[in-house]
């Protein structure tokens, strides 16, 4: 078996994972890109509004997808392109969640997928202050020209996985995971007639039906409330990119630090209140994006992270958008 897989990237219309408006796919055989596909689409009914923050990130508007098939109508083509391949995605919890939630609210079954997360592999195999897609792609020698173009992001993800396999002298995904001592995660098949809905879909359906969803927290001047530091969830999925990480938050967050800490603990992370030698992840609010690491628009905690990283500590910076993608926030846009 060679290095065979399909890389995937979704863009969403709003903060709900199940609102895909674009997808990019890159098929790899024997460590070489052999085919690509991309589609615009309308999100599922009742989940097809376009939020300002999402449009600002990817540039896709409702008019751009008008007349295109909805996700549920298009998924047979997407699924046919993927076939039985292992899926690769940069922050796979998000992209696999798009498939699951999109199918759930469309009332459609979904297949099982083995998958790999190139954020986790980048963290394991590179030494970067940010493992966001542009930084990891640059390290892999496949720099992004247009981040948040689904086709280009999928191609970059494929390039990262090819590079990591090469550096580890692995000739297949199975060989790579064996060499790293990892177990490949799997998203189980879904049958709408028998299986329960994900938390993300339940929240989205409640909102669409006039219920309540977690609102964005209004900006409040002054020192943010830290709140308690809950213990990591012992039953969390070990394959999650935040599992086992020690996470600190800085800047104004849309959901508030106590809630952010709870969500990080739910997925197996250990939240703390200040940057120390234990810290492995710093989540930055205030509209921070990875490129700010180069421009210098940083909080004091972020500068401390850069200092510690320069001294060799395994520590990285995430934008709030990347964090919210990882923990499955409903209200916030998919900003990465």
């Amino acid at each position: 078996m060679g290095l065979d897989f399909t890389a995937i990237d979704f863009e969403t219309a709003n903060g709900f994972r199940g609102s895909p408006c674009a997808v990019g796919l890159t098929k790899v055989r024997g460590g070489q890109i052999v085919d690509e596909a991309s589609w615009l689409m309308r999100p599922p009914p009742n989940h097809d509004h376009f939020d300002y923050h999402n449009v600002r990130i990817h540039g896709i508007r409702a008019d751009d997808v008008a007349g295109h098939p909805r996700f549920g109508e298009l998924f047979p083509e997407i699924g046919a392109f993927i076939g039985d391949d292992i899926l690769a995605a940069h922050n796979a919890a998000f992209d696999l969640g798009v498939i699951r939630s999109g199918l759930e609210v469309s009332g459609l079954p979904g297949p099982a997928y083995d998958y790999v997360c190139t954020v986790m592999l980048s963290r394991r195999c590179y030494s970067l202050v940010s493992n966001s897609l542009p930084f990891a792609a640059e390290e892999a020698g496949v720099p992004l020209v247009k981040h948040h173009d689904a086709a280009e992001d999928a191609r970059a993800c494929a390039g990262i996985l090819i590079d990591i396999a090469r550096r580890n002298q692995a000739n297949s995904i199975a060989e790579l995971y064996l060499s790293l001592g990892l177990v490949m995660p799997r998203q189980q098949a879904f049958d709408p007639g028998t299986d329960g809905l994900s938390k993300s879909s339940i929240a989205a359906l409640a909102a669409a039906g006039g219920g309540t969803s977690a609102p964005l927290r209004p900006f409040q001047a002054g020192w943010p409330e830290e709140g308690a530091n809950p213990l990591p969830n012992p039953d969390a999925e070990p394959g999650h990119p935040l599992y086992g990480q020690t996470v600190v938050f800085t800047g104004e967050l849309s959901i508030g630090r106590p809630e952010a800490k709870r969500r990080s603990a739910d997925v197996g992370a250990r939240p703390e209140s200040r940057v120390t030698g234990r810290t492995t992840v710093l989540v930055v609010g205030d509209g921070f994006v990875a490129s700010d690491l180069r421009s210098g628009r940083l909080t004091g905690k972020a500068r401390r992270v850069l200092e510690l990283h320069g001294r060799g500590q395994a520590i990285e910076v995430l934008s709030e958008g990347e964090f919210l993608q990882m923990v499955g926030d409903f209200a916030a846009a998919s900003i990465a």
Side-chain angles (χ1 to χ4, degrees):
M1 181 182 294
L3 186 65
D4 301 343
F5 62 91
T6 292
I8 190 166
D9 180 82
F10 281 102
E11 301 296 332
T12 56
N14 54 69
F16 172 43
R17 287 182 176 183
S19 66
C21 58
V23 65
L25 296 149
T26 298
K27 187 170 288 291
V28 172
R29 290 290 180 267
Q32 301 291 325
I33 294 174
V34 297
D35 198 6
E36 295 181 308
S38 62
W39 289 275
L40 291 175
M41 68 196 77
R42 286 183 295 156
N46 301 318
H47 306 283
D48 51 3
H49 63 281
F50 279 70
D51 285 351
Y52 165 79
H53 294 291
N54 293 66
V55 174
R56 180 172 60 87
I57 293 299
H58 52 56
I60 301 169
R61 302 175 183 275
D63 288 348
D64 297 322
V65 301
H68 287 265
R70 290 197 184 272
F71 169 74
E73 299 168 322
L74 190 59
F75 187 76
E77 284 190 70
I78 297 172
F81 186 96
I82 297 169
D84 295 327
D85 277 5
I86 296 168
L87 279 176
H90 203 73
N91 187 10
F94 173 75
D95 294 282
L96 272 292
V98 171
I99 293 175
R100 175 66 182 257
S101 290
L103 291 173
E104 285 178 342
V105 297
S106 299
L108 297 172
Y113 289 112
D114 291 323
Y115 66 90
V116 301
C117 177
T118 51
V119 168
M120 186 183 71
L121 293 175
S122 172
R123 182 181 290 151
R124 186 76 174 249
C125 299
Y126 297 153
S127 180
L128 304 174
V129 71
S130 170
N131 288 291
S132 67
L133 188 59
F135 276 71
E138 182 177 324
E139 176 69 16
V142 288
L144 268 172
V145 176
K146 188 180 179 183
H147 189 21
H148 294 293
D149 176 283
E152 293 207 22
D153 284 0
R155 190 181 308 126
C157 174
I160 292 166
L161 185 49
I162 291 168
D163 179 67
I164 288 174
R166 177 187 59 79
R167 294 189 188 201
N168 287 274
Q169 299 181 322
N171 296 313
S172 68
I173 302 296
E175 192 174 314
L176 173 63
Y177 266 62
L178 182 64
S179 70
L180 295 174
L182 299 173
V183 176
M184 191 179 306
R186 181 176 178 85
Q187 176 160 286
Q188 298 300 324
F190 166 73
D191 182 342
T194 58
D195 295 327
L197 298 177
S198 62
K199 291 181 180 178
S200 179
S201 295
I202 291 171
L205 289 168
T212 58
S213 62
L216 292 176
R217 188 172 67 96
F219 177 82
Q220 295 176 340
W223 197 261
E225 178 192 356
E226 280 288 343
N229 292 314
L231 294 175
N233 174 14
D235 299 320
E237 170 55 54
H240 193 279
L242 290 177
Y243 183 87
Q245 303 297 316
T246 299
V247 182
V248 175
F249 298 88
T250 186
E252 282 289 340
L253 305 177
S254 62
I255 61 173
R257 290 190 193 176
E259 175 68 6
K261 288 182 174 184
R262 183 190 66 77
R263 294 188 187 203
S264 64
D266 282 348
V267 298
R270 181 179 296 278
E272 294 191 343
S273 299
R274 62 189 184 91
V275 175
T276 69
R278 296 185 299 272
T279 308
T280 57
V281 174
L282 178 71
V283 178
V284 185
D286 293 322
F288 166 88
V289 292
S291 59
D292 290 335
L293 290 168
R294 293 192 173 104
S295 70
R297 192 179 75 85
L298 301 171
T299 66
K301 284 182 179 177
R303 290 191 182 91
R304 174 66 173 154
V305 164
L306 290 178
E307 176 187 337
L308 292 172
H309 186 270
R311 294 179 182 177
Q313 182 170 330
I315 188 168
E316 66 172 300
V317 178
L318 289 179
S319 69
E320 184 187 7
E322 290 171 306
F323 169 76
L324 291 174
Q325 280 191 340
M326 291 178 181
V327 297
D329 182 70
F330 169 69
S334 57
I335 305 168

